[in-house]
Amino acid sequence: MRIRSLGVIDDAVVELSPGFTAVTGETGAGKTMVVTSLGLLLGGRADPALVRIGAKAAVVEGRLTMDADAPAAVRAQEAGAELDDGALLVSRTVSAEGRSRAHVGGRSVPVGLLGELADELVAVHGQTDQQGLLRPARQREALDRYAGAAVAAPLARYTTAHRRLRAAATELEALTTRARERAQEADLLRFGLDEIAAVEPQPGEDTALAEEAERLGHAEALAGAAGAAHAALAGHVEDPEGVDAAALVAGAQRALDAVRGHDPQLSALAERVGEIGILMADVAGDLAGYADGLDADPLRLAAVEERRAALTHLTRKYGEDIDAVLVWSQESAARLDELDGDDDRIGELTAERDALRSELGALAQELTAARTAAAGRFAEDVTAELAELAMPHARVSVDIRQTEAAEESDGIEVGGQSVAYGPSGADEVELLLAPHPGAPPRPISKGASGGELSRVMLAVEVVFAGSDPVPTYLFDEVDAGVGGKAAVEVGRRLARLAQSAQVVVVTHLPQVAAFADRQLLVAKTHDGSVTRSGVTVLEGEERIRELSRMLAGQEDSETARAHAEELLETARTGR
């Protein structure tokens, strides 16, 4: 892995051995940046504050070796990446402005893909993870992870049923708590629909009645105007000698007909005059018919106005015109059907909720049984690991219990009683530790010292390594609080784990570092203006000097050197 412009590291190459690599160095030298670099390659959050002051961007590049058919390799190739002679090249760039880019196998990819690959390749365990495991919820997750398919299968069915129950309960609550509002809405809709049904409006009726009312209200004036126009065009029967437009046009027609044969142009004009006469006769006839058809009946006018008033009452309340009123009526009828069906829906949801609660109870009981079976094996495995970590008399157990529901209606029935439940079942899981014979088991958060807690957590992680193996494990100072013989056993146990996987440990303990196949030193130098940090592989005399420093704080102490050599020999022969 190559690291550039990240924190105190200017430009360094970290060579990790296939077995056990220990990363050591003074406090503040930059060991954390090595862990941070791995985190970035694994899809961790990009923090622009990590970029070295004065640099435009921090870059971390890594070379991951894997089989071509490994799940991570397959996933990377699906994303367009290419393997280089059995290795996958991965890089992550974080700019000082906060922009982040990721490349896998020569292809630009979303940062999320790095996280997907990390799940298959690396397990990271640090002091933060230890603190997280003190919480009962994380302990339940740890037990479920250890149990594997035995818990995962019923848990998946339980989760699905729980999600359906939440949805049904939410809808049921909405229906029941808003019952009064919905009843009021239904009454208003029903009243409006009854009003509209009583009037029985027709599409476009309001427009047609408005036109009829206007015509009836001016019937006399309209008839007089039509009669006068007819007389002007066709003459008046009471005045046969009077001059009218029809007679004048007819005279013009006769004058032209007498000479039209002498000139084609005049003949065309005569035809146009004839067309005027025909059109005038048609209009005169229509005017006569219009005048005769006008109805000045005041009773009809009153009926029209009354009908218009009824329609106006509807348009004031339900739409800008009758067509809009009819649309409102259709939509409201559909909504009323929905509201009237609430009682049926409430009954359906109640039955569904009760059935799902019964199903959840059975699934929760199945989960409890699976967790209980796994808990015994888990406790035995962790206890066996503690014996390897200089705690031969310690005993770990797993307490699985349920809490009685505050109200019977709030719980599910498990084992004949109503218990509280959540998205992951009804179980509360807690790790208990009895550090020595005769000591009562107590929660690890209360019954373990700092060194004991570190070893318990390391034992848990090693047990995970056996049940959920990945190629690489990174431990970030999980040995804090451990010393003496216990530290030697921690180093020995990590060395054994490294026989089947790659193990990288950031540590302050010389007892742990001595067991490493390769020791890397993160050493900081100061040139007066810029802090640089290099990462070097320690061998021979250099490694003895570093272990001496870790032991006594003095690289040249003869006693510390002798102790360092003894540690290395113990590690070499005592695995």
Side-chain angles (χ1 to χ4, degrees):
M1 179 174 65
R2 184 179 183 185
I3 310 167
R4 287 179 289 170
S5 301
L6 185 71
V8 297
I9 298 180
D10 181 26
D11 192 343
V13 176
V14 181
E15 300 178 10
L16 304 177
S17 74
F20 180 3
T21 299
V23 181
T24 63
E26 292 277 9
T27 299
K31 299 188 299 299
T32 300
M33 287 299 102
V34 175
V35 177
T36 301
S37 300
L38 280 169
L40 287 173
L41 279 185
L42 301 178
R45 187 177 69 88
D47 185 354
L50 297 173
V51 179
R52 185 174 173 82
I53 296 175
K56 294 181 179 180
V59 181
V60 183
E61 299 167 302
R63 185 174 185 271
L64 311 177
T65 57
M66 64 187 70
D67 295 332
D69 58 352
V74 173
R75 179 67 186 91
Q77 292 176 88
E78 288 175 352
E82 295 182 1
L83 265 66
D84 179 16
D85 192 21
L88 188 65
L89 302 180
V90 181
S91 70
R92 181 82 179 275
T93 303
V94 181
S95 72
E97 292 78 23
R99 292 188 300 273
S100 173
R101 291 180 298 168
H103 290 80
V104 175
R107 177 64 61 89
S108 178
V109 297
V111 173
L113 178 64
L114 298 182
E116 294 181 38
L117 300 181
D119 291 340
E120 302 288 343
L121 296 174
V122 183
V124 181
H125 307 292
Q127 294 186 60
T128 301
D129 301 278
Q130 289 189 5
Q131 295 302 315
L133 277 173
L134 294 179
R135 300 197 300 269
R138 286 291 301 276
Q139 293 175 20
R140 177 189 51 71
E141 292 173 5
L143 178 60
D144 290 352
R145 175 181 162 195
Y146 173 84
V151 166
L155 180 58
R157 296 195 301 273
Y158 177 94
T159 301
T160 300
H162 183 270
R163 190 182 305 113
R164 290 167 54 204
L165 174 59
R166 288 293 89 205
T170 299
E171 184 178 354
L172 181 60
E173 182 180 4
L175 289 177
T176 53
T177 55
R178 294 184 54 214
R180 177 179 298 177
E181 296 176 14
R182 296 169 76 89
Q184 291 174 346
E185 183 184 357
D187 286 344
L188 289 174
L189 292 176
R190 195 173 288 110
F191 178 81
L193 290 171
D194 288 344
E195 275 197 320
I196 295 171
V199 176
E200 296 183 351
Q202 300 301 313
E205 184 182 2
D206 51 342
T207 302
L209 288 176
E211 293 174 355
E212 185 178 0
E214 186 71 13
R215 187 169 60 251
L216 289 172
H218 299 82
E220 292 183 3
L222 293 172
H230 178 270
L233 292 176
H236 199 285
V237 294
E238 296 179 358
D239 186 15
E241 301 299 329
V243 178
D244 55 72
L248 293 175
V249 171
Q253 182 74 46
R254 288 192 298 270
L256 293 175
D257 285 343
V259 294
R260 63 185 300 176
H262 302 297
D263 186 354
Q265 185 176 358
L266 187 62
S267 178
L269 292 172
E271 289 179 4
R272 292 172 62 187
V273 171
E275 292 172 0
I276 291 173
I278 295 171
L279 180 59
M280 190 177 298
D282 288 343
V283 172
D286 290 342
L287 285 170
Y290 174 81
D292 292 340
L294 276 176
D295 184 5
D297 184 1
L299 295 178
R300 174 57 187 167
L301 178 60
V304 168
E305 294 295 352
E306 182 178 357
R307 179 66 177 173
R308 290 185 67 200
L311 296 179
T312 301
H313 176 73
L314 297 181
T315 56
R316 280 202 302 264
K317 298 173 67 174
Y318 308 112
E320 61 182 14
D321 54 31
I322 288 301
D323 288 346
V325 170
L326 292 174
V327 170
W328 183 92
S329 176
Q330 293 174 350
E331 294 175 348
S332 297
R335 174 61 175 163
L336 185 58
D337 288 341
E338 179 184 337
L339 293 173
D340 287 342
D342 279 356
D343 291 341
D344 294 338
R345 182 59 179 157
I346 288 174
E348 293 172 0
L349 287 171
T350 301
E352 181 182 0
R353 180 200 60 189
D354 294 343
L356 286 170
R357 286 175 60 181
S358 178
E359 180 182 350
L360 275 187
L363 288 172
Q365 196 158 352
E366 185 179 348
L367 269 175
T368 299
R371 284 170 175 155
T372 301
R377 301 192 306 273
F378 183 66
E380 290 177 3
D381 289 348
V382 175
T383 298
E385 288 296 330
L386 287 177
E388 298 281 350
L389 295 173
M391 294 179 67
H393 303 298
R395 293 291 180 271
V396 169
S397 58
V398 181
D399 180 29
I400 299 177
R401 60 185 182 273
Q402 292 85 35
T403 300
E404 185 176 354
E407 299 288 342
E408 186 172 348
S409 59
D410 295 333
I412 56 175
E413 186 174 336
V414 178
Q417 66 175 353
S418 179
V419 300
Y421 67 99
S424 300
D427 300 320
E428 296 179 19
V429 177
E430 192 164 32
L431 290 179
L432 305 179
L433 173 68
H436 52 80
R442 299 184 63 194
I444 58 174
S445 59
K446 301 176 181 177
S449 64
E452 290 172 337
L453 180 60
S454 292
R455 280 177 281 174
V456 171
M457 293 298 101
L458 180 58
V460 169
E461 300 297 355
V462 171
V463 167
F464 280 159
S467 62
D468 185 20
V470 292
T472 300
Y473 294 88
L474 171 62
F475 294 94
D476 182 16
E477 298 189 12
V478 294
D479 49 17
V482 178
K485 182 180 178 180
V488 173
E489 296 304 329
V490 168
R492 180 178 287 115
R493 191 64 193 87
L494 290 171
R496 290 179 185 172
L497 178 60
Q499 293 174 4
S500 58
Q502 182 184 41
V503 176
V504 181
V505 179
V506 178
T507 182
H508 286 289
L509 294 180
Q511 297 95 325
V512 172
F515 279 88
D517 299 304
R518 171 177 290 181
Q519 184 172 348
L520 301 179
L521 173 64
V522 180
K524 184 169 59 175
T525 60
H526 192 68
D527 62 3
S529 60
V530 178
T531 301
R532 297 174 179 267
S533 183
V535 182
T536 57
V537 179
L538 300 179
E539 295 179 349
E541 179 64 23
E542 291 180 340
R543 188 171 186 187
I544 292 174
R545 283 175 58 84
E546 172 62 8
L547 290 176
S548 298
R549 181 198 64 78
M550 296 172 72
L551 283 164
Q554 300 176 359
E555 296 90 336
D556 299 324
S557 167
E558 291 298 326
T559 303
R561 285 179 55 84
H563 192 183
E565 292 171 352
E566 181 182 359
L567 266 180
L568 286 172
E569 181 62 22
T570 299
R572 186 181 66 82
T573 61
R575 296 194 182 195

